Amino acid sequence: MRLFLNNTATLHLLLALAAPSALFAQEAPASNAADNETPDTLHVTPSSADDFFGYSKFRVGGYGEMYASFLNYGRNRFYGGTNNEDKRRVIAIPRAVIAADYRFNSHWDLGMEIEFEAGGVGIEQELENTENGEYETELESGGEVALEQFHLTRHITSAFNIRVGHQVVGLGLTNAHHEPIFFFGTVRPEGETTIIPSTWHETGLAFFGSFGRGAASFDYEAMVVAGLNADGFGRDNWVGRGKQGLFEVDNFKSPGYFGRLDWNGVKGLRVGASVYYCDDVTANADKPYKYSKLDGAHLTIWSFDAQYRNPYVTLRANFIRGKLQNADGITAVTLSNLSNYQHGAARSVAEKAMAYGIEVGANLQNIFYPGRGPLFMPFLRYEYFNPHEEAAGKMIADVRCQVSKWVAGLNWFALPNLVVKADASSRRVGTDSPFGGSDYHHENEFTIGVAYVGWFFSK
């Protein structure tokens, strides 16, 4: 793999990016990250929140990530034949999230998260006196500000609780555990984040709880939320861009139904299964009449994931697959060129998509120097994903969507809730074999980044 570290200034930039801030350093606990783990989600139920955080009334925190990458491939894999070679450098803040919880009493609480993605959005209005006094609106920043969560929860018993509002749809491994210290790579696993929304958040109603004991311990969640919008489907991301939210209200004519079950019967092991179903994604389109010739289009996505952790090793795996009815009919619908949706060849949505992956990391501190020294975790990940796994009707699956990807890297937990990451990855385009060859240029990159998650203060 060729990496592009060509000058001293760039190395200085990366070293500065990797240095943890003084703010977090002042809060470093005495014990290491293996003994003081943060829960798998920021918003836990109040019954467990006291155990983890000691908060009784409110708390404010968040998470975020930043990285710099060196790449040997161009911006558009679908242009320029099989040779997509280029040398690029990019730096980004994919997201910074502010989270807060407020407990009204022992039965009711409010949770919220606001996400600033890719620097947020900046819009400026100017009066151009040199252009006949015209008012002009300029886009200063191309990111996004999103209300990722805003929900009220009624706690009844450990076995049954109700949540209403805008909340995360925990389909797959990454959506259910999306904070950046819960995956090894500098960016989220690419397979799941390519074919389904990530982080997937919708407005609706949820029921959740825990039941059983010992080897028969389970957590569950069932949701009715706003369904996906067929206008956002396409070749490159399958249904990943189909989440609603573009307008002031979401269509609810054909809601999405989601269920998840996690088994926690063995210490350190969690095995989960989840499913999503929407009866007619075309009913949630911006202009449903455009799909009137179709007799509906139901969407089904199912997923299995697992995680095993002990003081020495962390192992994660995931599998996700989905099927879309009338995919060829959805492809045939032409959308306005003024919309943000995909057009032309990129509008070609497949009937089936698939992604799976496995990763393993080793805790060198506990293996060689238990309780002493820095916590380093080298890791290796393999994943395969294809948003064009199987085409519908007379459509032909685009082999350029087929990707086998290896990632190898190192995590340094400077604090239990702050990690410095570095990894090297290689995508093999046009093959489903981990070691297979391809006519297409291998997309290689080296990335270094920093991520954090935690509660800043509570009462």
Side-chain angles (χ1 to χ4, degrees):
M1 181 184 297
R2 290 182 295 171
L3 307 177
F4 310 107
L5 303 173
N6 293 335
N7 56 59
T8 304
T10 302
L11 284 174
H12 286 170
L13 171 64
L14 294 180
L15 291 173
L17 182 63
S21 70
L23 172 64
F24 286 99
Q26 292 171 0
E27 300 175 356
S31 54
N32 61 37
D35 300 322
N36 258 327
E37 294 177 357
T38 305
D40 279 0
T41 56
L42 275 177
H43 296 282
V44 295
T45 62
S47 59
S48 61
D50 287 340
D51 296 335
F52 280 114
F53 300 104
Y55 108 96
S56 60
K57 197 62 178 177
F58 70 87
R59 57 184 176 179
V60 177
Y63 64 90
E65 50 197 303
M66 59 196 79
Y67 68 82
S69 294
F70 301 81
L71 312 95
N72 79 335
Y73 59 92
R75 299 176 184 273
N76 189 354
R77 181 188 304 160
F78 301 94
Y79 177 79
T82 59
N83 187 1
N84 188 32
E85 186 172 0
D86 195 3
K87 294 183 179 180
R88 297 185 292 128
R89 300 170 184 154
V90 298
I91 189 166
I93 301 178
R95 58 188 55 84
V97 176
I98 298 174
D101 284 339
Y102 179 81
R103 185 183 299 185
F104 296 98
N105 55 36
S106 60
H107 297 291
W108 290 94
D109 70 58
L110 170 70
M112 65 178 298
E113 288 186 11
I114 299 176
E115 180 182 62
F116 299 86
E117 187 173 294
V121 176
I123 298 178
E124 180 181 60
Q125 189 174 57
E126 296 180 347
L127 178 61
E128 295 291 348
N129 293 309
T130 59
E131 298 178 12
N132 299 320
E134 295 179 353
Y135 287 92
E136 291 188 357
T137 301
E138 297 182 357
L139 185 66
E140 300 291 337
S141 179
E144 178 184 271
V145 177
L147 185 65
E148 189 168 280
Q149 296 191 57
F150 186 84
H151 48 73
L152 284 166
T153 303
R154 175 63 165 92
H155 299 275
I156 303 171
T157 70
S158 61
F160 184 77
N161 306 277
I162 303 173
R163 178 178 292 135
V164 60
H166 200 72
Q167 49 199 303
V168 171
V169 179
L171 181 73
L173 180 62
T174 304
N175 277 314
H177 310 278
H178 58 272
E179 286 85 0
I181 67 170
F182 300 120
F183 52 85
F184 289 126
T186 51
V187 297
R188 295 179 177 183
E190 192 172 0
E192 285 188 324
T193 58
T194 295
I195 68 173
I196 62 173
S198 178
T199 305
W200 192 348
H201 44 91
E202 303 281 8
T203 302
L205 177 67
F207 306 94
F208 65 96
S210 304
F211 63 92
R213 61 178 62 184
S217 297
F218 296 90
D219 298 328
Y220 76 91
E221 185 175 27
M223 304 177 70
V224 181
V225 296
L228 291 179
N229 177 356
D231 289 345
F233 299 175
R235 174 194 62 192
D236 302 347
N237 298 92
W238 197 50
V239 303
R241 296 181 182 177
K243 186 172 67 67
Q244 297 193 62
L246 182 62
F247 304 106
E248 294 178 349
V249 297
D250 292 341
N251 291 324
F252 202 64
K253 185 174 182 179
S254 183
Y257 301 92
F258 167 76
R260 182 177 180 90
L261 183 68
D262 287 314
W263 174 63
N264 307 295
V266 175
K267 183 179 180 181
L269 176 65
R270 179 193 52 76
V271 179
S274 53
V275 62
Y276 173 89
Y277 177 79
C278 182
D279 188 61
D280 185 7
V281 292
T282 66
N284 300 320
D286 297 352
K287 300 176 180 179
Y289 67 85
K290 286 181 171 286
Y291 300 90
S292 59
K293 294 182 179 180
L294 302 182
D295 186 22
H298 57 251
L299 170 68
T300 306
I301 312 172
W302 55 94
S303 173
F304 301 94
D305 58 81
Q307 176 178 271
Y308 175 72
R309 304 182 72 173
N310 65 30
Y312 310 103
V313 175
T314 297
L315 178 67
R316 302 184 184 101
N318 68 282
F319 177 88
I320 186 168
R321 187 176 178 87
K323 182 177 181 180
L324 173 65
Q325 181 193 31
N326 285 332
D328 51 346
I330 293 175
T331 299
V333 173
T334 302
L335 303 176
S336 170
N337 289 330
L338 298 178
S339 71
N340 291 324
Y341 302 122
Q342 299 183 70
H343 307 90
R347 173 67 171 158
S348 175
V349 59
E351 178 182 7
K352 296 180 181 179
M354 182 172 68
Y356 58 83
I358 185 170
E359 64 182 11
V360 60
N363 188 323
L364 299 186
Q365 181 195 63
N366 287 344
I367 292 174
F368 296 107
Y369 307 101
R372 297 181 291 115
L375 200 168
F376 289 105
M377 292 193 71
F379 73 93
L380 181 67
R381 175 176 178 83
Y382 171 76
E383 61 181 326
Y384 167 82
F385 59 94
N386 189 355
H388 237 237
E389 181 70 18
E390 187 173 318
K394 297 181 180 180
M395 294 169 50
I396 299 175
D398 194 324
V399 70
R400 294 170 297 182
C401 295
Q402 194 175 47
V403 175
S404 291
K405 182 179 180 180
W406 285 96
V407 185
L410 181 69
N411 286 186
W412 168 44
F413 282 85
L415 299 172
N417 57 350
L418 191 151
V419 58
V420 180
K421 304 180 178 185
D423 59 39
S425 64
S426 180
R427 296 187 196 90
R428 299 172 181 266
V429 179
T431 178
D432 59 358
S433 171
F435 305 103
S438 170
D439 294 333
Y440 296 92
H441 177 67
H442 289 181
E443 297 177 351
N444 304 324
E445 58 188 88
F446 173 77
T447 306
I448 187 168
V450 179
Y452 68 91
V453 59
W455 298 104
F456 307 142
F457 60 87
S458 64
K459 180 180 179 181

